[in-house]
Amino acid sequence: MSQRRAEAPPVEEEEDITKMEIEEEVEAPMINAGEERKKRAKEMKSSEMRAWVSWTLVLAVFLAFPPFQRERVEEMGFGEIFRIDRMRVDPTLTLALWRRWDAEAAAFVLPWGHMIPSLEDVSRITGLRIYGRAVSGFTYPCYQSLAERLLGLPVGHRSSLVPRVALQESLGLYEVGKNARESEDEYLERLVQVSQRELASEPGAQADLDLRRFLIFFLGRLLFATRGDTVHCRFQPLLEDLGEVGGYAWGAAFLAHQFDSLGASERQTSTSGFFPFLQVWAYLHLPALGRGDLTRPGLVPIARRWDSRRDSRNLGDHLERLQEAIDSYPYLDVVWQLYLGESDKGQPWLVPARPYFGRSVWLHALNLVLPLHLFLCQRSLGLRQSAVEFPTRDRFRRPGRSFRGLHDTTDWHEWAKEQIQNWESRGKAVKSTATTDDAYLQAYALKYGGKVYKSARHQDKEAAQRQAAELAQLAGAVLRAEEAQRHLEEQERDLRLTTEHVMYLQGQRDQLQGERDQLQGEI
């Protein structure tokens, strides 16, 4: 399976970012490690605050909408996001996972094998719709006229960006700074009240304008957030007909965006996208890390159940400890099948989503066309892991982030026709004929070597691969021992049930014997 991808049309902001990164690379040797850690910690704290504030502002507008507008957002499939409590950002966890991401395989590379966020994870954790039409269509070199017509906001000449402040103010968010003595609830309530003054109270053209502005704000600043202080218009063409918005698989597009963000430069420090998804995904798979608290069990979607733990330690030291914890994480504590005990109660979106579970498929978010290589983590589906051929990225000509100028109009239905058809046919079901995980683990260890096994990191390549192979054999032995233990437990349970049944029958026989003796005595 190959990977096919193109980037968003370049804009002035991206050019500035590229220049900034180049300057940082030049200056990096002049900065000692301590200063670099402090700088990164400051950037992470800033990005954490920006992500939290964006969520608060989007939620405030949703709550300020009159009931008929909120119903429209619900019908589009976005309502569950706004029932999730505002979770604290855990940038250390995000960065630790980020450093484990393999962009070629589009998967996390961990000591026990690949792990991949799936469409079922998106559906159960966020409640977003993963079914429907692919989020695809046209991208343009300039969205100025389209944005001005559909949003009623001024956009720069030959630009694809809406100024964030102008967009916020069009939704009634003029004073968005949090006062020193305000609680989080008081802050949100004040934002709701000021936003209500600007929003249409009855259906009509103004209400449609409000809704499009909200959707572009929600998509650009929360669900598909990127670095920078502006909002991209690339999804605007899909919002022209508001009645069609709910027919798109926004959850699948969200997963493509997550993959793209994880594959970004390691110098990036901001948290992109709806950050609770990846955090809760890690809480569920790696509970022994102790990063989250299950404070509201039973709520759906699953992100509503969790809070992230507060940690005031230095980011650099904290990150190093967390990476050590992942390196030495007990294999038997990894949770592969997350939803075995989960019911579908209160989650009507799961019924149409099920046909997309357990399938390798291409994901679409307009100019992002990325594969979900679910076959790399068959254990998450209750299967033995086959020794598969690890995917490698196709090399093909595509525009990059540093491209200067404007792209041509692109019809993604034509450019990615094969991948669109793949989505419409729901990809390929994951199957396995393997009887053990050993062959996969050995192939995995030989491919990644010291990248995932800490003890092999500072050795030469041959030694690292040799030790990685030995560790893979050990992991296979541990997994077989675990399977044997489960088998013994099942036998023990069966024996206990059989014994209880025999005792019950013995009691019944004794009772019948007593009744017979009593009748014989009476005769």
Side-chain angles (χ1 to χ4, degrees):
M1 205 171 188
S2 60
Q3 179 167 338
R4 192 175 187 180
R5 166 185 166 188
E7 303 290 348
V11 294
E12 294 85 346
E13 177 192 353
E14 290 179 346
E15 294 181 6
D16 292 341
I17 289 172
T18 303
K19 293 175 183 176
M20 178 186 68
E21 290 176 341
I22 292 172
E23 290 168 0
E24 287 179 350
E25 293 287 354
V26 172
E27 295 174 1
M30 300 173 62
I31 304 175
N32 62 44
E35 291 175 342
E36 185 65 26
R37 280 199 301 270
K38 290 179 182 178
K39 178 183 178 183
R40 183 174 289 275
K42 183 177 180 181
E43 290 173 345
M44 290 291 271
K45 185 67 177 177
S46 176
S47 68
E48 175 183 349
M49 180 59 67
R50 185 164 56 249
W52 187 87
V53 169
S54 293
W55 191 355
T56 303
L57 296 180
V58 172
L59 177 60
V61 180
F62 174 76
L63 296 176
F65 269 146
F68 79 90
Q69 288 281 57
R70 289 201 297 272
E71 288 176 9
R72 296 172 82 183
V73 176
E74 295 271 2
E75 290 170 358
M76 293 172 180
F78 299 133
E80 297 303 325
I81 288 287
F82 300 106
R83 279 183 269 281
I84 299 172
D85 287 349
R86 287 163 294 155
M87 184 182 294
R88 185 179 297 108
V89 186
D90 188 345
T92 312
L93 177 60
T94 302
L95 189 56
L97 290 173
W98 184 9
R99 291 183 174 181
R100 292 288 190 170
W101 186 256
D102 178 7
E104 288 190 344
F108 291 112
V109 174
L110 295 157
W112 48 87
H114 291 104
M115 298 190 87
I116 305 174
S118 70
L119 290 171
E120 183 172 6
D121 294 323
V122 173
S123 187
R124 289 190 178 272
I125 293 174
T126 70
L128 286 169
R129 293 177 182 173
I130 63 164
Y131 53 89
R133 298 191 300 278
V135 177
S136 190
F138 288 85
T139 53
Y140 302 98
C142 176
Y143 291 78
Q144 181 181 9
S145 60
L146 186 67
E148 290 179 351
R149 176 169 61 85
L150 296 180
L151 300 178
L153 297 173
V155 175
H157 179 59
R158 293 168 63 82
S159 176
S160 302
L161 303 173
V162 177
R164 176 185 56 81
V165 174
L167 183 57
Q168 287 178 187
E169 290 182 349
S170 73
L171 295 167
L173 299 174
Y174 294 96
E175 300 294 334
V176 297
K178 185 175 181 291
N179 297 329
R181 296 183 180 180
E182 276 184 319
S183 68
E184 293 180 4
D185 290 340
E186 290 171 339
Y187 175 53
L188 177 62
E189 183 179 356
R190 176 169 62 83
L191 293 176
V192 171
Q193 290 176 351
V194 297
S195 182
Q196 282 176 332
R197 300 168 191 165
E198 294 291 329
L199 301 176
S201 59
E202 300 291 339
Q206 184 58 46
D208 289 350
L209 189 63
D210 289 343
L211 185 54
R212 287 195 186 91
R213 289 170 174 173
F214 167 76
L215 289 173
I216 206 71
F217 189 47
F218 165 62
L219 297 175
R221 295 297 294 173
L222 186 63
L223 206 58
F224 301 97
T226 57
R227 291 194 296 175
D229 202 40
T230 46
V231 182
H232 203 285
C233 295
R234 64 184 180 277
F235 294 114
Q236 189 62 58
L238 303 185
L239 307 181
E240 183 162 7
D241 185 345
L242 292 170
E244 295 293 318
V245 174
Y248 291 101
W250 292 103
F254 168 76
L255 189 58
H257 177 75
Q258 291 287 305
F259 288 177
D260 183 57
S261 298
L262 288 164
S265 165
E266 287 193 4
R267 294 194 64 83
Q268 180 173 319
T269 56
S270 60
T271 304
S272 297
F274 186 63
F275 58 85
F277 170 71
L278 194 57
Q279 293 181 196
V280 172
W281 181 87
Y283 302 160
L284 296 172
H285 275 296
L286 309 175
L289 288 179
R291 305 300 300 184
D293 290 317
L294 183 61
T295 56
R296 296 171 292 276
L299 293 182
V300 292
I302 289 175
R304 295 181 65 191
R305 304 175 187 178
W306 291 87
D307 286 327
S308 59
R309 293 183 180 175
R310 185 183 296 276
D311 199 314
S312 58
R313 288 178 290 182
N314 173 273
L315 175 64
D317 295 338
H318 188 189
L319 177 60
E320 186 174 346
R321 291 194 190 97
L322 183 55
Q323 289 177 310
E324 292 277 354
I326 293 175
D327 285 333
S328 58
Y329 194 90
Y331 290 3
L332 299 184
D333 288 344
V334 177
V335 180
W336 286 98
Q337 295 177 267
L338 302 178
Y339 311 116
L340 289 179
E342 286 286 333
S343 72
D344 293 354
K345 185 178 180 181
Q347 303 171 87
W349 60 87
L350 287 180
V351 175
R354 284 192 178 280
Y356 295 86
F357 293 174
R359 306 184 74 87
S360 291
V361 67
W362 285 89
L363 306 172
H364 302 264
L366 287 179
N367 56 318
L368 292 177
V369 184
L370 301 173
L372 170 60
H373 292 313
L374 200 59
F375 63 88
L376 290 178
C377 58
Q378 296 172 18
R379 280 173 288 176
S380 65
L381 305 176
L383 305 172
R384 289 298 187 186
Q385 183 65 55
S386 301
V388 296
E389 181 179 348
F390 302 132
T392 56
R393 184 182 305 168
D394 264 358
R395 300 297 177 186
F396 65 97
R397 186 176 181 274
R398 64 176 177 82
R401 288 186 185 276
S402 61
F403 180 82
R404 297 295 186 264
L406 296 173
H407 295 304
D408 295 331
T409 297
T410 302
D411 179 358
W412 292 93
H413 282 108
E414 182 61 32
W415 195 91
K417 183 186 298 183
E418 180 182 344
Q419 289 74 24
I420 292 285
Q421 291 173 349
N422 173 270
W423 171 259
E424 292 173 346
S425 63
R426 298 169 185 163
K428 185 178 181 181
V430 176
K431 299 179 181 179
S432 174
T433 58
T435 56
T436 71
D437 301 322
D438 292 15
Y440 163 79
L441 288 170
Q442 290 186 29
Y444 179 87
L446 290 173
K447 176 175 176 60
Y448 293 107
K451 290 183 180 178
V452 292
Y453 295 105
K454 184 178 187 300
S455 59
R457 278 181 186 166
H458 302 298
Q459 301 174 18
D460 60 72
K461 182 178 179 181
E462 183 178 349
Q465 288 183 332
R466 184 170 59 251
Q467 184 162 355
E470 293 171 356
L471 288 169
Q473 291 176 351
L474 177 61
V478 171
L479 291 171
R480 288 193 298 276
E482 182 186 23
E483 180 64 24
Q485 181 180 351
R486 279 199 297 266
H487 183 62
L488 287 173
E489 290 173 352
E490 290 174 0
Q491 288 183 321
E492 182 182 357
R493 183 174 63 253
D494 292 342
L495 181 60
R496 185 173 63 252
L497 292 173
T498 301
T499 302
E500 291 173 353
H501 186 60
V502 169
M503 293 178 65
Y504 171 76
L505 292 176
Q506 181 69 39
Q508 292 290 96
R509 193 194 72 169
D510 292 345
Q511 182 180 353
L512 290 172
Q513 181 69 37
E515 291 175 354
R516 189 188 70 175
D517 293 345
Q518 184 178 359
L519 287 172
Q520 288 178 345
E522 292 174 354
I523 294 173

